[in-house]
Amino acid sequence: MFYWIMKRLFIGPLVSVLFRPWVKGLDNIPAEGGAILASNHLSFADSIFMPVAVDRPVVFLAKSEYFTGSGLKGRLTATFFRLTNQLPMDRSGGAASANSLGAGERILSQGQLLGIYPEGTRSPDGRLYRGKLGVAKLALATGVPVVPIAMIGTDKVQPIGKTVPNIRRVGMIVGEPLDFSRYAGMSEDRFVQRSVADEIMYAIMRLSGQEYVDVYAATVKAELAARKHAARHPQKKAGGAADAGAGSAPDGA
């Protein structure tokens, strides 16, 4: 009930007035029954604009860091995510990630819509990155359709690191549902999982028009962070970097 009050009386009208969102293909979202809404991820604001545009309630699997922040900002962020129908997803792997996917399976088995960002994190530069296998595992385990979605312009509204959004128009394109029933009984096959994840990302790429990069976004973010750190803390000794790497073996050795 609180979700509907927030959406219909507060967030929805505010978003409509300020950002004038446009939507194409909304009728591709099933009117009933479970389905996965798989979207690109350009901005924190994606988790606001998509649920507002969709008539049915959408439960999101959001990264667990949104629920564990410190200070006033962290507490407000965690409260907002809980009030807007979002569940924490642990991306550390192993049992923690399996439990998060289990929560997603329960949502889908109840006939609800589950929103997920297959890239696992926001794009660091506006390009579309390789999809993680979680979305494929959910689709194969439950048999529900996967609806590809492209968010348009949300990175301009709220770029990474910016708290106050820019007031400008945003869009959302909803593609036709993807059916993976041909893989019934093969949900544990890693090659099948990879094929499903790639097909979902290809569908999102066609809708969004983004350049696709066959690398995980988290890997690129880690590399960018390492470069920034190196630039801020240069080696005091010219030979330090070379000495540090002298004992390491090349990849695959």
Side-chain angles (χ1 to χ4, degrees):
M1 176 61 72
F2 188 83
Y3 171 82
W4 278 104
I5 293 174
M6 286 280 289
K7 177 176 176 178
R8 298 300 185 189
L9 298 183
F10 295 102
I11 299 177
L14 187 64
V15 166
S16 297
V17 170
L18 293 179
F19 302 99
R20 298 175 295 119
W22 55 268
V23 183
K24 294 182 180 179
L26 196 59
D27 56 349
N28 284 322
I29 297 177
E32 58 184 20
I36 297 171
L37 307 186
S39 171
N40 60 339
H41 197 14
L42 297 172
S43 167
F44 176 89
D46 295 329
S47 298
I48 298 174
F49 291 121
M50 188 206 295
V52 166
V54 179
D55 292 332
R56 295 175 58 189
V58 182
V59 180
F60 266 96
L61 287 181
K63 64 179 182 179
S64 58
E65 290 88 337
Y66 285 144
F67 298 82
T68 57
S70 59
L72 178 60
K73 180 181 178 181
R75 291 195 295 273
L76 289 175
T77 299
T79 300
F80 171 80
F81 272 78
R82 290 191 179 96
L83 293 179
T84 52
N85 240 20
Q86 305 199 40
L87 300 175
M89 180 173 185
D90 194 312
R91 303 176 299 169
S92 61
S97 295
N99 289 337
S100 296
L101 292 177
E105 286 187 31
R106 288 191 292 274
I107 294 298
L108 293 169
S109 67
Q110 293 166 5
Q112 300 186 61
L113 297 179
L114 181 70
I116 190 169
Y117 301 116
E119 293 168 278
T121 187
R122 286 176 288 178
S123 170
D125 53 17
R127 296 185 294 177
L128 186 69
Y129 285 86
R130 194 180 203 205
K132 293 196 169 184
L133 296 183
V135 64
K137 291 178 181 179
L138 283 170
L140 293 168
T142 61
V144 302
V146 178
V147 182
I149 292 178
M151 303 303 298
I152 310 294
T154 54
D155 53 333
K156 304 298 191 298
V157 167
Q158 193 173 23
I160 293 176
K162 185 177 177 63
T163 302
V164 180
N166 301 313
I167 305 301
R168 56 181 297 158
R169 208 166 185 204
V170 298
M172 185 175 92
I173 304 175
V174 185
E176 295 183 1
L178 303 175
D179 177 16
F180 297 106
S181 59
R182 62 188 183 277
Y183 295 122
M186 305 171 69
S187 62
E188 298 302 318
D189 188 314
R190 296 279 291 188
F191 291 101
V192 170
Q193 293 172 2
R194 183 74 263 159
S195 177
V196 169
D198 288 346
E199 185 174 336
I200 292 169
M201 298 313 295
Y202 180 74
I204 295 173
M205 180 191 70
R206 292 191 62 183
L207 295 172
S208 69
Q210 291 169 275
E211 177 186 349
Y212 178 74
V213 184
D214 196 24
V215 177
Y216 291 121
T219 301
V220 175
K221 283 188 172 182
E223 292 173 351
L224 291 173
R227 289 176 194 167
K228 288 182 180 179
H229 180 80
R232 292 172 183 170
H233 305 281
Q235 292 287 345
K236 293 182 179 180
K237 295 181 180 180
D243 292 342
S248 59
D251 290 344

